[in-house]
Every structure is written in structure tokens, then in C-alpha cells.
């Protein structure tokens, strides 16, 4: 199997297959992703999420905010399961979605744990992640509000944010309040979309 042009091992493919089966069962009962995209789970969600591990494949401790349907956090944690190292802290305040994530971890053996808390309170509970992800959670400037406590304590901390075609507007607004280094990764899945890699975040004034 290949995702975004990269080969995936049989073990990881099996874990992803189990996750998709689990997702489809739960998605009939609770709203895990936009209904219009459920039939595109491999292209729209799995492949899109897999881009993160392809950008940062070294085993690290991640925090994934607004984990919801498991994208990208569970997918990252499945790739880490093969490595046998690294961890993903999944932050999801909705209790039904948090239950879905816990059972997905059991079904797949993903290297992750679930924190049923709000993003604003996560820094007090999850002190030392190295990398952060978020997909379809909030505008870029609000994501930076959530991420700022970790950036302030670890100069090497980095964040990866999936953004759609209007990302430039969000970047311009964020720069009114924040200074940061940026690497823009063009999406291999959705033309015009990007993954924004943020480092050295600090208030602009």
C-alpha cells in the first residue's frame, strides 16, 4: 500500500484498515467528520493526516488538539506504533468523541492517550510535548493562543497546522499578534491547501 507516494508496511496498513472499519461504525451514530466527506475517508482524511508523519517521521511526543474523528492524531499514533516509540496526546473535550478515540486506540494499538479536556487547559495537564498538530479546529491566531505556553517553555517546539485555500488570510491576521518562523508545505492531497509548520512563536509586541 502507498500513501502520498510512500510505501506503508503491511502491519501499518492493517492498523489503518481496522481504524477505518471502527470509524465507519461510529460515524453512523455520531458526527465525526463532515457527512459529505465520509465516503472519501482514505483520500480526504487518512492520506491527508499521514502527511504529518511523513513530514516529521522521527518518534516524538505529540499533542493533537481537537482530535475529534482521529485526524490527524490517531493516524500519527498508528505510524508510531510500528516504530515502537513516541506518543500522541489526543485532546478532545466532547465526551462521545473521546470515547470513540479510546476505543480506536484499543482496536489499533495506536500509541496514544485521550484527554477529555478543553484545548485552553491542556498546557496544565500535558507539560512536555515536542510537536503539535491540529486540523479543522480553529483559526490560525486562535491555534497560536493554544500553542503559546508550550512554545514559551521549549525553544525547539514545533506545530503543524492543516489549512485550506484561504490560509494566507489567516496568516496575515496571525502576524498582527504573533512573530514566528514558517515553513509552508504544499498538500499532496488537496490542491491549494497547505500544512503550516510553525516554530519560534512569540508575541509580536
Amino acid at each position: 500500500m502507498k500513501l502520498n507516494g510512500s510505501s506503508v508496511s503491511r502491519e501499518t496498513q492493517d492498523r489503518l484498515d481496522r481504524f477505518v472499519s471502527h470509524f465507519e461504525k461510529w460515524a453512523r451514530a455520531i458526527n465525526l467528520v463532515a457527512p459529505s466527506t465520509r465516503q472519501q475517508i482514505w483520500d480526504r482524511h487518512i492520506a491527508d493526516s499521514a502527511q504529518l508523519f511523513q513530514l516529521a517521521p522521527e518518534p516524538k511526543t505529540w499533542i493533537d488538539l481537537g482530535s475529534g474523528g482521529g485526524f490527524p492524531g490517531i493516524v500519527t499514533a498508528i505510524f508510531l506504533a510500528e516504530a515502537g516509540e513516541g506518543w500522541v496526546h489526543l485532546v478532545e473535550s466532547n465526551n462521545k468523541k473521546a470515547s470513540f478515540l479510546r476505543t480506536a486506540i484499543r482496536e489499533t494499538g495506536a500509541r496514544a492517550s485521550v484527554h477529555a479536556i478543553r484545548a485552553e487547559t491542556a498546557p496544565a495537564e500535558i507539560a512536555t510535548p515536542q510537536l503539535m498538530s491540529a486540523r479543522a479546529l480553529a483559526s490560525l491566531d486562535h491555534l497560536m493562543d493554544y500553542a503559546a505556553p508550550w512554545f514559551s517553555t521549549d525553544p525547539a517546539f514545533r506545530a503543524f497546522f492543516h489549512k485550506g485555500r484561504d490560509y494566507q488570510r489567516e496568516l496575515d491576521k496571525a502576524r498582527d499578534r504573533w512573530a514566528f518562523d514558517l515553513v509552508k508545505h504544499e498538500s499532496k492531497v488537496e490542491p491549494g491547501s497547505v500544512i503550516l509548520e510553525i516554530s519560534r512563536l512569540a508575541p509580536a509586541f
Side-chain angles (χ1 to χ4, degrees):
M1 176 185 179
K2 287 193 173 185
L3 280 175
N4 309 321
S6 298
S7 295
V8 174
S9 73
R10 184 178 297 275
E11 178 186 11
T12 295
Q13 180 178 344
D14 179 64
R15 293 179 194 273
L16 290 170
D17 286 340
R18 277 184 273 154
F19 173 63
V20 168
S21 177
H22 179 70
F23 173 90
E24 289 174 340
K25 179 175 68 176
W26 276 70
R28 299 186 194 107
I30 63 174
N31 185 27
L32 295 173
V33 296
S36 62
T37 68
R38 276 179 54 190
Q39 302 306 314
Q40 304 167 299
I41 184 168
W42 282 99
D43 292 337
R44 188 70 178 268
H45 299 295
I46 300 292
D48 190 32
S49 298
Q51 292 182 98
L52 285 194
F53 189 78
Q54 291 164 341
L55 290 173
E58 66 279 9
K60 298 283 188 181
T61 301
W62 290 77
I63 179 164
D64 182 61
L65 297 185
S67 299
F71 308 113
I74 287 285
V75 176
T76 300
I78 284 173
F79 278 98
L80 290 174
E82 183 172 350
E85 298 179 73
W87 199 260
V88 183
H89 294 279
L90 305 167
V91 175
E92 176 51 60
S93 62
N94 181 288
N95 286 325
K96 289 183 178 179
K97 292 179 180 179
S99 294
F100 158 74
L101 293 168
R102 290 190 186 98
T103 56
I105 292 168
R106 290 197 296 271
E107 288 284 331
T108 63
R111 291 183 62 82
S113 53
V114 180
H115 305 262
I117 57 177
R118 295 184 62 82
E120 297 90 334
T121 64
E125 184 167 323
I126 306 163
T128 57
Q130 298 161 295
L131 302 172
M132 175 181 174
S133 59
R135 181 175 181 262
L137 174 63
S139 63
L140 186 60
D141 61 326
H142 286 150
L143 290 173
M144 290 176 173
D145 283 328
Y146 300 147
W150 293 298
F151 277 104
S152 68
T153 57
D154 181 0
F157 186 76
R158 289 180 292 155
F160 294 83
F161 300 135
H162 287 76
K163 285 296 171 183
R165 292 182 178 90
D166 63 345
Y167 69 89
Q168 190 60 53
R169 178 184 57 82
E170 292 194 39
L171 273 172
D172 293 342
K173 183 177 179 181
R175 286 190 170 113
D176 290 338
R177 297 179 51 216
W178 301 99
F180 51 91
D181 290 346
L182 171 69
V183 179
K184 182 176 67 175
H185 304 280
E186 300 290 342
S187 174
K188 296 180 179 179
V189 175
E190 187 70 22
S193 296
V194 295
I195 296 173
L196 302 177
E197 180 180 347
I198 306 295
S199 58
R200 297 173 60 86
L201 178 75
F205 49 84

